[in-house]
Amino acid sequence: MSLTGIPAAGASLSAARRSRDLTEAADGRVVDVLVVGLGATGAGAALDAAARGLDVVAVDAHDLAFGTSRWSSKLIHGGLRYLASAQFDVAHESAVERGVLMERTAPHLVRAQPFVLPLTGLVSRGQAALAWAGFRAGDALRLSAHTARATLPAPRRLSPVETRHLAPALRPAELRGGLLSWDGRLTDDARLVTALARTAAARGARVLTRVRALELSPSGARIRDELTGAEGEIRARAVINASGVWAGDLVEGIRVRPSRGTHLVLRSQDIGPLPAGLHIPIPGETNRFVLVLPQDDGRVYVGLTDEPLDGPVPDVPEVPETDIGFLLDVLGSVLDVPVRRSDVVGAFAGLRPLLDTTPTAQPGAASRTADISRRHAVLTSPDGVVSVVGGKLTTYRRMDEDAVNAVGGARGLAAGP
């Protein structure tokens, strides 16, 4: 039995079940909800709808967590960044959802991660005071979200000796201490998505990977089985487009502005022991940091960039050398022994599906993707297809609740609470 009391066999996603579920989904019957996309948002939407008693089919052209959801920083953010831009509702929502993940939904996958912000000569005392005020405000967010102190400890100031103990690789010259803060860290982003999809399947959803939606309408989708090439149709009373950076390819009028987030992969022996992660301020920025994230398997992730992607959206984003050089330069600004390009054993990039709200008459406005809000939006097209865009991994549950509420209201579905 699973923790929900549902037989574990009901959560199995096997080839045999896929074949059976695809045949049933495309046999002409009308399901309540068709979800397109099986990243965190799509898998979560399938679970939300199925848990409310709706008949659900969810499809993806590739595999679970194939797109953005497997290229994340694997952090569950509490919304601190959004306080600086006065997005208090987004910050509070993030803090609430972080607490839900850490204490209720996935405490086996999300744990507290300490971070040290080293106070070097590159960080003025004014900047340090601003950062400390931000960390205190972040702790207030934790309190407002009712997340236990035992789950996320309080921030505190560190002496130079304590700072070097938590990050021995730091350059000792001009190091006057550090600031310790905490956030949520996800063991494996793809594993979370898989857990969501399997739980949805246990609730009766038909979860179909390698089934591409060729065309959407308010009454379903024309689909193709990518394993056989066979085409067919899935009929539905409501459709949720949760395809992330590809959302605009399926529904006209949606303007998604992909932002590339690049991470480097290093070996821990090349950077030294790291009992805590690092926040390294980006020169010239007041509220952006490069993150150094030690992993349990001896690797270290260094990220991330926030660069707009121009042109067609690729299935697997490439990492440009400019991103690698940028991250190495920022990392080298605080390390005693700089990391060389030859020390980079890998790199990966994910694309954030940011909602572009820039007026078309002002193409130069909000030119940086770093300045675009991470607030999510649920949009209903003139013909009735519901798309959920924007947001981030941390708030997938709230995004999906809003999306299922939207299809329930627009299409008159008898969805439970």
Side-chain angles (χ1 to χ4, degrees):
M1 298 290 287
S2 71
L3 294 178
T4 60
I6 299 170
S12 174
L13 295 176
S14 64
R17 179 169 181 173
R18 175 191 179 277
S19 177
R20 182 177 66 252
D21 285 353
L22 178 56
T23 299
E24 292 179 355
D27 69 355
R29 74 183 67 187
V30 181
V31 301
D32 290 327
V33 179
L34 169 64
V35 179
V36 179
L38 281 169
T41 305
L47 171 56
D48 187 291
R52 298 200 211 185
L54 298 174
D55 186 15
V56 179
V57 173
V59 302
D60 194 287
H62 299 286
D63 204 349
L64 300 174
F66 177 84
T68 303
S69 292
R70 66 169 166 158
W71 304 122
S72 76
S73 294
K74 297 167 181 60
L75 287 178
I76 302 300
H77 289 292
L80 175 60
R81 174 180 178 181
Y82 314 116
L83 289 179
S85 54
Q87 299 180 61
F88 301 113
D89 55 342
V90 180
H92 179 70
E93 179 179 275
S94 298
V96 169
E97 294 305 317
R98 177 184 62 183
V100 169
L101 275 163
M102 297 186 76
E103 296 183 339
R104 289 167 49 196
T105 302
H108 60 302
L109 295 179
V110 186
R111 65 173 188 235
Q113 171 66 48
F115 284 97
V116 172
L117 194 165
L119 301 179
T120 68
L122 298 175
V123 182
S124 70
R125 295 192 180 277
Q127 289 173 318
L130 185 62
W132 176 244
F135 292 147
R136 292 292 300 273
D139 193 50
L141 275 177
R142 174 207 59 80
L143 180 63
S144 71
H146 305 292
T147 303
R149 170 68 73 212
T151 302
L152 285 169
R156 67 183 183 91
R157 300 178 187 271
L158 300 173
S159 69
V161 172
E162 290 175 312
T163 303
R164 287 268 292 169
H165 175 74
L166 289 173
L170 291 174
R171 187 182 304 126
E174 298 185 339
L175 182 66
R176 61 182 190 274
L179 302 178
L180 178 66
S181 62
W182 298 79
D183 218 334
R185 175 189 159 198
L186 183 60
T187 302
D188 188 328
D189 42 12
R191 183 178 171 191
L192 174 65
V193 176
T194 301
L196 292 171
R198 293 188 63 196
T199 309
R203 295 274 187 170
R206 298 175 186 87
V207 178
L208 304 173
T209 58
R210 298 176 179 84
V211 174
R212 183 180 297 275
L214 301 172
E215 183 180 350
L216 297 187
S217 73
S219 58
R222 187 167 60 87
I223 55 100
R224 181 175 66 225
D225 182 349
E226 296 291 81
L227 298 183
T228 66
E231 296 188 8
E233 181 183 8
I234 296 176
R235 301 174 63 197
R237 295 179 179 87
V239 176
I240 296 177
N241 174 19
S243 54
V245 289
W246 298 278
D249 295 340
L250 292 171
V251 176
E252 290 186 7
I254 293 179
R255 295 165 53 207
V256 175
R257 192 164 188 204
S259 167
R260 186 181 63 246
T262 294
H263 299 77
L264 308 183
V265 183
L266 308 174
R267 298 185 182 90
S268 59
Q269 60 262 34
D270 293 329
I271 203 170
L274 277 175
L278 294 176
H279 281 133
I280 306 176
I282 296 175
E285 302 278 356
T286 58
N287 193 41
R288 287 186 62 207
F289 303 89
V290 164
L291 305 179
V292 180
L293 303 163
Q295 305 298 305
D296 295 334
D297 59 2
R299 293 177 296 173
V300 177
Y301 296 157
V302 178
L304 70 170
T305 61
D306 200 334
E307 299 295 329
L309 177 77
D310 298 319
V313 178
D315 283 346
V316 179
E318 294 185 359
V319 176
E321 283 293 327
T322 51
D323 283 10
I324 296 175
F326 166 78
L327 292 171
L328 288 178
D329 286 345
V330 176
L331 182 61
S333 69
V334 300
L335 294 186
D336 196 23
V337 179
V339 176
R340 301 179 302 273
R341 176 64 179 86
S342 59
D343 295 323
V344 178
V345 296
F348 61 91
L351 299 177
R352 305 174 186 88
L354 304 181
L355 178 63
D356 189 356
T357 57
T358 306
T360 55
Q362 302 177 21
S367 59
R368 300 196 324 163
T369 51
D371 297 329
I372 298 178
S373 172
R374 268 53 175 172
R375 182 181 284 107
H376 72 269
V378 176
L379 309 172
T380 302
S381 67
D383 62 1
V385 175
V386 170
S387 297
V388 53
V389 293
K392 54 190 182 299
L393 179 63
T394 304
T395 58
Y396 79 89
R397 191 185 69 101
R398 177 60 186 273
M399 296 166 64
D400 297 328
E401 180 182 353
D402 291 347
V404 177
N405 285 345
V407 296
R411 311 299 287 182
L413 298 177

